[in-house]
Amino acid sequence: MSAAEEVVAEGHEAVEAVPKRAMTLGTGTSLVVLAALLIVPMFVKNFIIFQMTMLLIYGLAVLALNILTGGSGQFSLGQSAFYAVGAYTSAVLMEHANINYALTIPISAAVCFAFGYLFGKPALRLSGVYLALATFALATAMPQLLKLNFLEHWTGGVQGLVVTKPDAPFGLPMSQDMWLYYFTLIVTVLIYIFSVNLLRSRSGRAFMAIRDNEIAASSMGVNVALYKTLAFGVSAGITGVAGSLGAIAVQFVAPDSYTITLAISLFLGMVVGGVGWLPGSFVGAAFIIFVPNMAESISKGLSGAVFGVLLFLVIYLVPHGARQVAILGQQLVGKLRKN
């Protein structure tokens, strides 16, 4: 067996063990990625900067789903609902209450945390496919709820609400798109650090114990009800931050922007990035942003079919997502160093 084949065989075994811990990038790799994210926007056009901003935003939403599913083992197809609540919270506060955009983000996080925690309470009796169906119903209902007449004054109803994009503060010499990108990057880094520390903490170990074996976790003294609802709340709160940043970046919110399609896209991003691997959240976000555009460039009339084929190839070749590629890469480098 060749060295590459040995790496692939060992990689599959290693991947199975990864969900036991929160896998992250090494310090050196993290610094290189962060340096690239800081430097690249200085040399590209505003449209590319906007796409990079959306990548970070969707990456946050996928990361939130990763904490819920990869961390506590609860499947959700309702992240678009929390994303919508966060987006509308910021939009309404900015346009109707004239609150600074930066202050609306923690408010959106708090509102979505409460929403997710309260939703998690009745969902405690559900698990697996039944929990997925309950969250699916939430995602399906949310766009219709946002169109209700008594909310139309605040939400703009079917027509939606235009959001003012902020200028760079303190007279900084940069465009609105560039400032918003760096602002989003700061928020993303802070939430990423918080998420890593959360999964390494006592609460994170409780999440993973529930994911691995709920009965065993309960017998060891873990308050299953508390931690399952807490996981829902934290996931919803981070998704709300993503929705808030998305509303500011796109400058518009409308009910039809937050349909079940968005929820499925976020779930797809988690699978492609690797369930339980936090850095993979941003790989998955890149997939759901750029691959549909690639598919359309290949064939405009059959873009959906091309996207389906590309997705099938990715799932077939790397069933454990980008996490598997990272493990195989690390092991291959180790083999080459030994040789």
Side-chain angles (χ1 to χ4, degrees), residues 65 77 80 136 259-270 288:
L65 184 58
L77 291 174
S80 60
F136 178 88
T259 61
I260 189 63
T261 303
L262 174 60
I264 295 174
S265 296
L266 297 178
F267 192 87
L268 172 62
M270 179 187 66
I288 62 179

Side-chain angles (χ1 to χ4, degrees), residues 204-290:
R205 291 193 295 272
F207 288 165
M208 288 181 274
I210 293 171
R211 177 200 64 199
D212 293 337
N213 193 314
E214 189 173 318
I215 297 175
S218 179
S219 66
M220 292 173 63
V222 175
N223 189 333
V224 174
L226 172 63
Y227 283 107
K228 287 180 74 172
T229 52
L230 183 62
F232 247 106
V234 170
S235 177
I238 296 175
T239 306
V241 172
S244 179
L245 291 169
I248 299 170
V250 177
Q251 296 179 263
F252 181 71
V253 293
D256 292 334
S257 300
Y258 311 108
T259 61
I260 189 63
T261 303
L262 174 60
I264 295 174
S265 296
L266 297 178
F267 192 87
L268 172 62
M270 179 187 66
V271 173
V272 171
V275 180
W277 192 50
L278 297 186
S281 303
F282 299 93
V283 178
F287 183 89
I288 62 179
I289 290 176
F290 297 114

Side-chain angles (χ1 to χ4, degrees), residues 87-173:
Y88 269 93
T89 300
S90 280
V92 170
L93 290 175
M94 288 175 63
E95 300 306 317
H96 291 286
N98 293 321
I99 295 178
N100 184 275
Y101 66 96
L103 297 178
T104 67
I105 293 174
I107 297 175
S108 296
V111 170
C112 289
F113 175 87
F115 182 29
Y117 188 86
L118 292 175
F119 180 82
K121 281 287 187 182
L124 285 174
R125 297 180 178 273
L126 304 173
S127 61
V129 66
Y130 301 103
L131 178 60
L133 287 174
T135 55
F136 178 88
L138 176 65
T140 303
M142 183 54 66
Q144 303 304 318
L145 295 175
L146 293 172
K147 297 176 184 178
L148 293 176
N149 291 333
F150 73 92
L151 294 175
E152 188 172 354
H153 171 72
W154 302 98
T155 64
V158 178
Q159 295 181 350
L161 195 64
V162 177
V163 180
T164 304
K165 182 174 286 189
D167 295 318
F170 313 118
L172 293 174

Side-chain angles (χ1 to χ4, degrees), residues 194-215:
F194 163 78
S195 301
V196 171
N197 290 328
L198 173 65
L199 292 182
R200 288 176 176 173
S201 69
R202 181 178 179 181
S203 296
R205 291 193 295 272
F207 288 165
M208 288 181 274
I210 293 171
R211 177 200 64 199
D212 293 337
N213 193 314
E214 189 173 318
I215 297 175

